[in-house]
Amino acid sequence: MRRTALLASAALLTGLLPWATARAADDPPPTPVDRFEGEVPFASQPAEGIFTWGSDADDPPALRFAARADAPEGGKVLDGTYDISGYGGFTHDFAAGEPAHDWSAHEGVRFWWDGHDSGGKIAFEIKDGGANGEASELWTAAFTDDFTGWKQIRIPFADFAYRTDYQPVGGIDHVLGLKEMWGYAVTLPVGVKGDFAMDAVELYGRADQSLRASVTTDAAVHPVREGATAQVKVVLATTGSAPVEEPVTVHYETGGGTAEPGRDYTPVSGTLTFPAGSASGTARTVAVPTRRDKAAEPAETVPLKLTVTGAKAPAETPQVVIDAHGLPYLDTRLPVRKRVADLLSRMSLAEKAGQMTQAERGAVGAGSDIAAYGLGSLLSGGGSTPTPNTPAAWAKMIDGFQLRAQATRFQIPLVYGVDAVHGHNNLAGATIMPHNIGIGASRDPQLAEDTGSVTAAEVRATGIPWDFAPCLCVTRDERWGRSYESFGEDPALVDSMETMIQGLQGRADGRDLKRDDKVLATAKHFVGDGGTAYGSSTTGTYTIDQGVTTVTRQQLADIHLAPYRTAVRRGIGTVMPSYSSLDITGDGRGAVKMHARGDMINGELKGRMGFDGFVISDWNAIDQLPGDYAAHVRTAVNAGVDMMMVPYGYKDFAGALVDEVKAGRVSQRRIDDAVSRILTEKFALGLFEHPYADTSGAAAIGSPAHRAVARKAAAESQVLLKNDGNVLPLRKSQKVYVAGSNADDLGNQTGGWTLTWQGSSGNGTSGTTILQGLRRAGGDVTYSRDASAPTGGHDVGVVVVGETPYAEGVGDVGNGHDLELSAADKAAVDRVCAAMKCAVLIVSGRPQLVGDRLAGIDALVASWLPGTEGDGVADVLYGARPFTGQLPVTWPRSGAQLPINVGDASYDPQFPYGWGLTTRTSVPKGGAATLRVLAAAAATAERAHAGRTGRELVTRARLLVQEKAAGHLTEAVAKPFADADHLLLTGRYGKAVEKLAEAYRAA
């Protein structure tokens, strides 16, 4: 290795390091990793170096090598400052071009840390195996800054746990081998400004066999029916599968649980021996007989205590659980309300608090806290996936968590939730649909239902019964980073797309929730999240997301509450409040966070709307409420939030809730209401009878049938804004020049909430890019991403430009984003459109400002975020399907117009809400007289409640008007045109055609 400065001799180390003489005589000398004297530069892979990282541009810390008189070792230390809102830290990676390091001779890693007694947790992780430091397996530990001044932190390798929330390559072998190490990383505390100093990272101590050998059991929990015999398998495992060099003994003994020895089970004890030379994977079995009696009982536990010599013992004591039996809530013949009432009557306050608590999977590790705290729910946040990220691994993981719940008194199953907002988007290889903005553009309620059905089937097939979707926000300002999660700016459009709820849940009465292809759905974010004012956010660097929505009561009812009334009628199972605040003019309360608005959650949603499901908070949302933590808890619970998403703070929440009830600040009645709602949905999902994954539908995940639905959705979501000279559809005989940043990038095409929370550019999932779709359609295609290849000899250009992925407030305009095309995209458009006829496709979550280039573009398409099936985009480009999409939001001329929405008093956009040209072979012809006839017929259809006929008549009128108005849209045309689409969606067909006639006269 090049790092000769670090590989000093043992004698030199003894002279340099004052603690070296304290080591045991037979320990190997410490091996330095970092002295921070400048011998390791600030650099990144493939070179060796120290580098910073973070969730956004502000989050990486600032680092330097600083001379310190009090440096524990040498003259310099690594110090830095940080102010992290998401995540951030630094890494030392070893050179990728050289062999990995062997740390297996040592007991652990130690370093000096300059403490500030902040009480914060600081994560330290090491990198094992793989190709290099950025393609390795991550193992993590943590220490607490509960001291002042320099302290040497020692972390034995035995204390490192496999990191469950993120693995750069999906994990390798889940074994900390220590023979191929690639460095370490430090994750700094979030949410507070701070500084740190660190010195002398080194390996210490001598490894013993317990580092290389361990004893495990086949499961931590072994449920059995009363009277049956549990079989607990005890397994020897070694690093690298090498046989053990010394004998390993395991003494076992039952006792100490809630089951009574001699009455509920037959006590057992003894010793198992794994002789020297035993191979990794050698197993022994301990049998624990249980006894039958006639009493109805809750579940009872029988711990099997294991004392191990010569190897690392299991992290926890395995338990045999005698299943609950004979109690009314277990009787499937009883109505759900009686089962709920019986179970509720038996539960303690702590058990009820547990049911109201939802934790992140990454926070509970192997899951022992599930039983310890009686947790009611787990979730996977964006990008929180098992390793490997496969359907089988998801099902195995969730089954493991459900098994933990069987160790509780009443064996109440977990309800596991994910943000599957456009398909099972956390799962690699899943079918990814267009985001909701594209579904809204399709104007196809049946398609919305079909996409929901595919999503539900793929989610449930991995063992997950709950989806945090659909988003029913009404987006009113395209500067919002969540715009693409909305079906559109018109509540009537959002209402029409709520068929997706039936796709997810099945019939409104909930009878289909037990099916293996349906999930519990969530209407979010209640209420007004799409109406926040630009500049009103107080969350980090966000500009609009999580801000304030200021409305009159009438505006609130007409725009933002309306979709929830429909959702309740459709039987929505859960509702999630918004992070945002609501300010109702005239009520005297000012801006109040939605998680604190009992008038909206208890009063409007549960009271006047009659919602009978349960309310789940957003991620750590109660932390944004005023007051101390106890106030956060009682405020949200009393406002009507039934289950709290407290990903890493679940212990604090459950404890605080119990305290608030005991103090009388939260009533027992409120707790019972919340828990009854949660249990009702668990019974409806059939989880008590079938808690484990039904993977019979797993083969259909990403199947041709499912992708066909996504392909159709991608095609129907495309909105043709301009088509001078009928450039589209393309012809197979044409030579097509394809360019642009989003032509061949599946990550950009799918957008945020794809594999990770923010999504990422690149082809990280399976699907077809738009370029691949064009080629698969049989086109004669030349591709040059930046349009640098010669343009001569081509008939038409297709330039695919737009946004890169983002999610939530990270994507807010003003937070590192705008509505302009990038310089590279503008250059590509200019080069191609100057050389030939061109069609420009904008792949984005919201409109982009293209007015300055519109005159030079022959055809313009709003492609939105079409998902994994680029073939669907190719279908409309080549005419296999006609363009039929319509704008779900207004397309502005300039940023100065924002916010701009249908119904505004002043309305002069680039393209109005509802606009969408078609490439159908037969476009209606006619003029004012034709429109008068259509208006009369539409009015008749309206009176006869003939919806399908009425919609067809309005569509004919719209296409006729677009034929005349294309190319010279003025305010006099745009305003009545947009109003007509709103009238159509509200069933006023005659008035819609009258508005279109007004637009026709003005064109």
Side-chain angles (χ1 to χ4, degrees), residues 570-854:
R570 288 186 172 275
I572 194 77
T574 64
V575 171
M576 181 183 292
S578 176
Y579 281 117
S580 58
S581 300
L582 180 63
D583 185 356
I584 303 175
T585 55
D587 75 350
R589 299 184 63 185
V592 179
K593 285 284 185 181
M594 273 307 308
H595 283 75
R597 292 215 66 137
D599 60 327
M600 289 289 109
I601 301 173
N602 285 328
E604 189 67 41
L605 178 66
K606 292 181 176 179
R608 284 178 285 280
M609 291 186 193
F611 172 63
D612 58 6
F614 70 88
V615 175
I616 171 70
S617 86
D618 210 331
W619 179 285
N620 276 337
I622 64 169
D623 290 350
Q624 297 187 7
L625 301 182
D628 59 15
Y629 191 70
H632 298 170
V633 170
R634 67 173 171 269
T635 298
V637 172
N638 284 335
V641 182
D642 301 306
M643 181 184 285
M644 221 63 66
M645 189 185 292
V646 278
Y648 296 91
Y650 56 92
K651 299 176 186 178
D652 293 337
F653 169 75
L657 180 57
V658 169
D659 290 344
E660 289 301 293
V661 175
K662 289 180 177 178
R665 292 185 288 266
V666 175
S667 71
Q668 184 69 56
R669 182 177 179 182
R670 170 78 267 269
I671 298 298
D672 286 351
D673 172 62
V675 177
S676 293
R677 290 169 177 268
I678 294 164
L679 294 177
T680 296
E681 298 302 333
K682 289 186 176 185
F683 279 116
L685 286 162
L687 294 176
F688 280 83
E689 290 72 49
H690 303 288
Y692 303 115
D694 181 344
T695 59
S696 58
I701 294 173
S703 65
H706 285 186
R707 291 186 183 274
V709 175
R711 179 174 181 167
K712 180 182 180 185
E716 290 194 20
S717 71
Q718 303 299 294
V719 180
L720 184 58
L721 300 173
K722 180 181 179 181
N723 194 26
D724 287 0
N726 293 322
V727 168
L728 295 176
L730 304 171
R731 298 186 301 276
K732 300 285 179 68
S733 61
Q734 292 175 310
K735 292 187 175 180
V736 182
Y737 187 98
V738 179
S741 60
N742 287 349
D744 194 33
D745 193 305
L746 205 56
N748 291 353
Q749 188 175 304
T750 52
W753 290 109
T754 307
L755 293 184
T756 63
W757 174 39
Q758 292 294 315
S760 61
S761 299
N763 297 332
T765 189
S766 56
T768 307
T769 65
I770 293 171
L771 173 66
Q772 290 169 334
L774 291 169
R775 286 175 169 161
R776 285 158 57 115
D780 184 353
V781 172
T782 297
Y783 172 59
S784 174
R785 177 186 171 93
D786 61 358
S788 60
T791 56
H794 294 89
D795 300 306
V796 62
V798 175
V799 192
V800 189
V801 295
E803 296 186 304
T804 54
Y806 54 81
E808 298 191 44
V810 175
D812 285 352
V813 167
N815 189 22
H817 296 266
D818 56 39
L819 299 182
E820 297 279 349
L821 298 179
S822 69
D825 277 349
K826 289 178 179 178
V829 170
D830 292 346
R831 288 188 195 118
V832 176
C833 293
M836 65 193 82
K837 291 182 177 180
C838 70
V840 173
L841 277 63
I842 299 180
V843 173
S844 64
R846 53 197 168 191
Q848 304 290 283
L849 302 175
V850 294
D852 59 339
R853 283 170 168 73
L854 191 58

Side-chain angles (χ1 to χ4, degrees), residues 844-1000:
S844 64
R846 53 197 168 191
Q848 304 290 283
L849 302 175
V850 294
D852 59 339
R853 283 170 168 73
L854 191 58
I857 295 171
D858 298 293
L860 181 65
V861 179
S863 285
W864 310 112
L865 298 169
T868 50
E869 307 313 302
D871 287 327
V873 181
D875 285 341
V876 293
L877 291 177
Y878 272 111
R881 291 178 181 269
F883 278 94
T884 56
Q886 296 174 245
L887 282 181
V889 293
T890 300
W891 197 285
R893 292 185 187 276
S894 71
Q897 289 185 314
L898 296 171
I900 182 170
N901 294 287
V902 58
D904 287 355
S906 176
Y907 189 77
D908 185 22
Q910 193 87 68
F911 299 102
Y913 169 76
W915 185 263
L917 304 176
T918 188
T919 50
R920 285 175 174 156
T921 53
S922 58
V923 177
K925 304 295 182 183
T930 303
L931 287 168
R932 285 193 294 272
V933 172
L934 290 173
T940 299
E942 182 180 336
R943 289 191 296 272
H945 303 289
R948 180 174 180 179
T949 299
R951 289 189 293 272
E952 289 174 350
L953 291 166
V954 177
T955 297
R956 288 176 58 190
R958 177 178 64 83
L959 295 175
L960 191 154
V961 173
Q962 286 184 159
E963 189 81 3
K964 183 183 180 187
H968 45 93
L969 282 164
T970 64
E971 182 171 5
V973 175
K975 184 169 175 52
F977 184 94
D979 290 342
D981 203 57
H982 172 72
L983 290 165
L984 164 65
L985 288 164
T986 55
R988 291 172 285 178
Y989 310 123
K991 289 290 185 184
V993 178
E994 289 177 15
K995 282 289 183 182
L996 287 167
E998 180 183 336
Y1000 184 87

